[in-house]
Each structure stands twice: as C-alpha cells, then as structure tokens.
Amino acid sequence: MNIFLYFCRSKYRFVFMQQKKNKQQQEPSAITRFLKSDATLFTLGLVILMLSVYMAIAVASFFFSGAADQSRIEGLSLFHKGRIGDIENWTGARGAIIGNILLNEGFGIAVFFLLLFLIFTGLRLMKAKYVNLFKYFIVCSILTIWTSLALSFFFGNFFQDTAIYIGGRHGLTLSRIAKHNLGVPGTFLVILLVFILIMTLISSETIPFIRKLFSYTPKIKKPKTNTQQATEQDDADFIDADTQPDIQEEPEKFTPSEKPYNPITDNDFEIIIPKADEGEMFSPVSSEKDDCYPAENIPADYDEKEAERLLQELGIYDPTADLSQYRLPPVDLLKKYDQNETQVDMSEQNNNKNRIIQTLENYGIKIKSIKATVGPTVTLYEIVPEDGIRIAKIRNLEDDIAMNLAALGIRIIAPMPGKGTIGIEVPNREPQIVSMHSIISSRKYRESDYELPIALGRTITNEVFMVDLAKLPHLLVAGATGQGKSVGLNAAITSLLYKKHPGQLKFVLIDPKMVEFTIYSTIEKHFLAKLPDVEKPIITDFTKVIDTLNSLTEEMDSRYELLEKAGSRNVKEYNDKFVNRRLNPQKGHKFMPYIVVIIDEFGDLIMTAGKEIELPIARIAQKARAVGIHMIIATQRPTTNIITGTIKANFPARIAFRVISAIDSRTILDGQGANQLIGRGDMLFFQGSDMVRVQCAFVDTPEVERISKFIGSQQAYPTAFILPEYVGERKDKSTENFSLEDRDPMFEEAAQLIVAHQQGSTSLIQRKFSIGYNRAGRLMDQLEKAGIVGPTQGSKPRDVYVMDEYQLRQKLDAMQ
C-alpha cells in the first residue's frame, strides 16, 4: 500500500512539474516582455536617432576644423582617457575623433548614407515612420561603397595635401587597387556600370532612358504628314516585334492534369492531401476583349511631342501622390488561427470509401477505382465506374449515399468537368477554418496582378480561389440567412483594401439593414463615395439609394463622354493615357478610380422601391464595366421576383451559399447544388458553365474593425469621393421645360378649380369636368410641372403652391 501511495505521489509530482515547465515555456519571460515592450523600443530608437544626429554634426564640423584638430587627435582612440588639447570641432574631442574615424579612416563623405540609415532605424523603432529597413540597408550600403570609390577616383588628387580624404581610406585603397589592375579607363567603366545598375534599381525610368540614349533611327525619307509618319512608325514597330526570332513562341500544348485511370482493386485507395499555395489561380472568363488595340494608336489631346515634353518635365502622373504616405494594412491585423497542416483521419476516409463502394454495389454498380482529395471542409471522392454503367443511375443514388454516410450536404458531380470520373463530395467530420490571414499572406494573393482582386477562400484542392472583379464584371451573391453572405462581402472588401490605394478605388456601400457596413464609416474620406448632400457615408435610406444609383448612372455617362473624347475603349486605356500626360486636365480629363457598388440586401430594396431600383441597377450592369464601375449585390431571398430575368442576364458571375430548396438553387445557379451545401461559408461560384465549390474565408468583426481603424488613422482626403448631384423628376418644380403646345385645353380651368378648392386631387378634376382618370392625371402632372401643385404624397392630396386667383393669373400670364 505504501509503495502504491509513493508511486501515485511521484507520478503526480512529475505531472505537476511537467505542466509547470510547459506553462513557463508558453509564457514569455519578464526579460522578453521588457525587450519587446513599446517603451523599450521607443527609448532605443530615440537613443539611436540622437547618436546618429550627433555623429552627422561631428562629421560636418570636421570639414571646417579637421586641419586644426588633426595633429591633436592623430592616433587617439574613442576611449582615450588623457586630456586632449583645445578642439575646434563643434561636438568636442569625442566628436572630433568620431569625425576622423568616419571621414578619414572610413568612407569619406559617403558615410552620410550610413548615418541616414541609422536615422531611419531610430524612427522605425520609435514607430514615427514606417520604412523597409532591409531595403534601405542594401541601398545605403551600395551607395556608400560606390560613392567612396567614385569620389576618390575623380577628386582624390585634389585633396592629397589636405587633412581630409574626400572618399575616405576605404575609397583611396579601393581606387588604387582598381587603377593597378584595370587602369584608369577600366576603373571608369566599372564605376559607370555600377552607377547604371544602382539607378536601375532605384528608378524604373532608367532602362527606357538608356535605350533612348543609344537608339538611332535614320531619317532618309521625304517629308510626310504627321498621320503618315505615325502610321509607318507603328507598322515598323509591329514588323520589328514579329521578326525577332527569340520572341516568337510555339503554341502551348495541352497537357492533361490527370493520368488516365487503370483498373485497380477496391483495396487500393489513394488519398490526396493538397498543400496550400499549389496549383494555379482560377481565371474567370473575361466579359471584355483582351486584344484591345494599343493605346498609342488612339488620338489624344496632346500630340506626341507635347506629351513627351510634359512627361519629361513632370514625370508620370501618380494618382497616389496626394496620399503618398498611405500604408496598406499589415497582415498582422488579421487573426491567425493555430491550425497545423491538414490532419487526415484515415479511419474516416476508409469508412466513407467502403460505404460508398458498398452502397453502389447494392444497386449493381461496380467501380474500377476510387480516390479522395481532402479539402478544408469537404472531401471529394472520384470514382470510375465499370463500362456500361449509366451516369444517371449513380446520380439518382444521392440520397441513399447520404443516408449510409450519415452526412449532410452530399453532392454528386456526374461527370466531373474535363475528367472521365464521377465526383462525390462528402463533408468532413471536423471542418477547418479558412482564415483571411492565410489567404492574404498566400503567395498567390501577394503576386496577383488583377485590377480588382477578390480572394474568396479555398477550393477542395486547398488552392486559394481568386477572381478579378474587373473581368467578371459584376457579382450576384445569394443564400439563406446565416449561411455566410455578410462574411463573404467582408472578405471581398478586405481583399480589395489590402491591395488598392485610396486614389485607385472607391466604394459605394448600401446597407438597408443599417448594421452590416457601419463598421466602415471610419474610412469615409479614404475609400467611400457618396452624394454631396448626404451626411452618412453608409447609405441606408431607400430614397437616398435611388438617388445614389441614378447618380452613378450619370457618373457612368460622364465617364463615357471622357472616353469618347480620349479615343479609349475602357477605363484602363484611358488611365494609361492620363498618367502618361497625353490628356489635358483643362479639357475636363481626370484620373478615374474604380468604383465598386456593394448592396447588402437587394431583396428589401426591390420590395420597397421595385422598378425605381431595378432600372438603374440594370443600366449600370449593362454598360458600366467599361468605365470602371462594378457591382456586388447580395440577397437572402433568391426568388424569381427578386432575382429577375433582367438581373440574371447582367450578372453572369454568381455566388450561392446554402439555400433551403432546390427551386432557390435553380433561381441562382440555373441548377441544383446550393441546396446541398453544408452552410458556414460553404459556397458555389458559378460563371458561364464553370461551377467551383469554395470554403469562404472567415474574417470576423474585430478584424474588420482593426483594419478600418488602421486606415482611418492615416492622412485622408478632405472629403469623401463626391458623386454627381442627381435631381430627379419628383424634385423638378421648374417651369423651364414646360411646353405650352403640349398643354391640355382645360389646363387653365383645372388650375382655377384646384386653387379655388386648395386641394390638389385628381379625382376632384375628374368629377368636376366629367373626364376620364387618365386625362385628369395628365392635367395634374402638367399642374405640377407648372409649379401650381406639389408632388404626389400617396393617398393624401397634393400641396397647392398658389394661394389665390390673383397669384394664379400672374403665373399664367408669365407662362404666355
């Protein structure tokens, strides 16, 4: 008994010590917390900044006092303890020694580049300025070495009899070695080569400048018009490009992504665990032609010489210059979930495989092979049936397989597009969260060159799923309540905020529910667009929604007029001309940022306003893609009276989250599938004939708040992006467009009747003059245009603006 008690105590002590050790390993020590604290980093940065400034003053002072101080500090170290004679350096004896070490014994004047790097390091630690220290270190180091060598090579002889080495001892030694081995011409060419390489890294204009410097075009031709010269030059460029043998490429050969299946036994079961960032990004079908004719062939406001002159004087126009200090949100603002690589439950996979085989065999269906591809939430089982098996027979067993697997959301894809297999999608027992952090930090997202990249999540093969909204060009999102629509919209907004500058993108956020988009109010002056008379940046009132959508149609028409003047077919060509100074801003030209309109609950707007909402949306969807205006609309009521034929025709790209019935699925996707999803971000992306199952990336409200606060804390524009002011027919009470020729013969009598009764009622006119309702309604509309009565107020009579018959007579006489 004592031995047993001793063993229990020993085991308990061992477990307790192990837990204590693990806790100590998990929790950072006090020293680590102290070193990483904000106060420590700020203090360290401040010390580095002050020391850098002190050394810069010491070096600058050494230029003037070096000759006088040289004899007193020659051979002394920085830690010399004896007394030093009178020093003229502004920073004292220690400063004179530092100046001598850095200037004469070091890199000469080039040492200021290293001091500049130390200053930026201090500012970075103080969090006063964000800079890429690695980039600055590389650039400053190269400039220090090159400047030291160049100064010693060109000006070293002029400072031989002085107390200052202009390039320092480093430059002097390196210059002598180079002259001895390469001679003066060789050393000069090396210095010139390194200078060109440095400028190539710093500026993108270096390579075109060098090419232009060495280019020569003979002009042994008779004089021709400017048009002929431009045409011949374009033809010459085209021919030269095609005659280069190393530029020509052979047609890309098609390589099957899957090997043909060979008959295998049922015991052979292949499980594929895709790794993140493998495979290619999904490339949506473009709604616009990619083979646009070159922008150089399109006429512009400025001729080529004027444009070239402005480009050399002013440089390329930068739409981000107004907020040049703007920083993209860091990925650390997103939550990183502690999930290791995909852990496959082999027993679960084998059980599902055996049940699928057994269910099919029960109905007389034998298969040749089966393999599984494990995704974050769903596993895809691909089977190859024996010859002679009808696909429809397997498709009809969907419910039977779901019952045997005891799983929700079984979906059969028969056949798999582009493969000779049949797919069976089965939800995993323990699904994984696809975090927005993993999507934004992925290689595919970082290296994406899409105009409007939207990262939605991961596919079954664990690939990052991305689309370009500029090519979709509009997106319809539908699904039942609580299935992930709002999270999907936040993921789309977040992926755009992490890629675009406020000068390149604007949002119009429409939120009838009044709670979904209020979190983005803090970025109003950075990214949001609104009407001039609207106070709230997030549009919630349906009357303001109508005005905003109509205002966007006016913005669309205005942009088309500018495109017509510039001879451009789309906003990308137009902006390329503008940034290259080929369009004159004094003629109304301006840089056009992309505008993304996002409507959270489209169904509520349709039920409230009907055609007043649908018509401007249809106009924008039909025409606005060429001028950079794109729409994302979402609804939780995917019914035919909400998603009408007009909406579906202009929204070829659609996202379907889980819905209740197959009818709703057919309304969204023109087929079943959305009713078989498992919810919680499980969705289908549909475009044309392609349908991809994706697990939507999860971005929580605190993450969006942190992103919004980070952007909102930075320098912003004075106001939000102002849309054109829209004045609808219901607001127009002027008589400028009122035509006397179209006036009804009973107009004056009807006006006298309304003023006498002080009641703007259509039924009153109908009764008094014994006319039909249509004519009475036209009379009332004419009275409204003439400013005699106000607009309709539903069932209430209209307001009468004319108080008596004398005032009416004056108004009628003025209309004559």
Side-chain angles (χ1 to χ4, degrees), residues 84-99:
I84 304 174
D86 294 335
I87 298 296
E88 296 184 10
N89 193 290
W90 302 337
T91 54
R94 304 303 167 184
I97 296 175
I98 291 174

Side-chain angles (χ1 to χ4, degrees), residues 109-123:
I109 297 178
V111 77
F112 280 105
F113 288 113
L114 293 181
L115 295 177
L116 180 65
F117 170 74
L118 290 177
I119 290 174
F120 279 120
T121 303
L123 294 175

Side-chain angles (χ1 to χ4, degrees), residues 347-365:
S347 62
E348 177 186 359
Q349 304 302 328
N350 286 319
N351 289 336
N352 289 343
K353 181 258 301 185
N354 294 331
R355 290 178 180 177
I356 290 173
I357 295 175
Q358 184 64 40
T359 303
L360 295 176
E361 287 183 351
N362 291 340
Y363 291 92
I365 300 173

Side-chain angles (χ1 to χ4, degrees), residues 12 18 111 119 121 153 217-218 285 332 449 482 487 499 504 506 519 534 540 554 575 606 619 630 636 638 728 777:
Y12 174 77
Q18 188 68 25
V111 77
I119 290 174
T121 303
F153 177 78
T217 304
V285 180
D332 297 339
D449 58 353
V487 175
K499 272 286 188 180
Q504 301 169 331
K506 301 297 176 184
I519 197 171
V534 175
T540 56
E554 294 186 2
N575 285 338
I606 288 292
R619 281 203 66 204
H630 305 275
Q636 62 184 4

Side-chain angles (χ1 to χ4, degrees), residues 238-272:
F238 179 76
I239 294 172
D240 290 342
D242 282 351
T243 54
Q244 296 294 332
D246 54 341
I247 296 180
Q248 294 178 353
E249 298 181 357
E250 297 181 358
E252 185 178 357
K253 296 181 180 180
F254 174 75
T255 302
S257 59
E258 296 289 339
K259 297 181 179 180
Y261 281 90
N262 295 322
I264 59 174
T265 61
D266 292 341
N267 294 328
D268 296 328
F269 181 42
E270 179 184 4
I271 298 180
I272 300 176

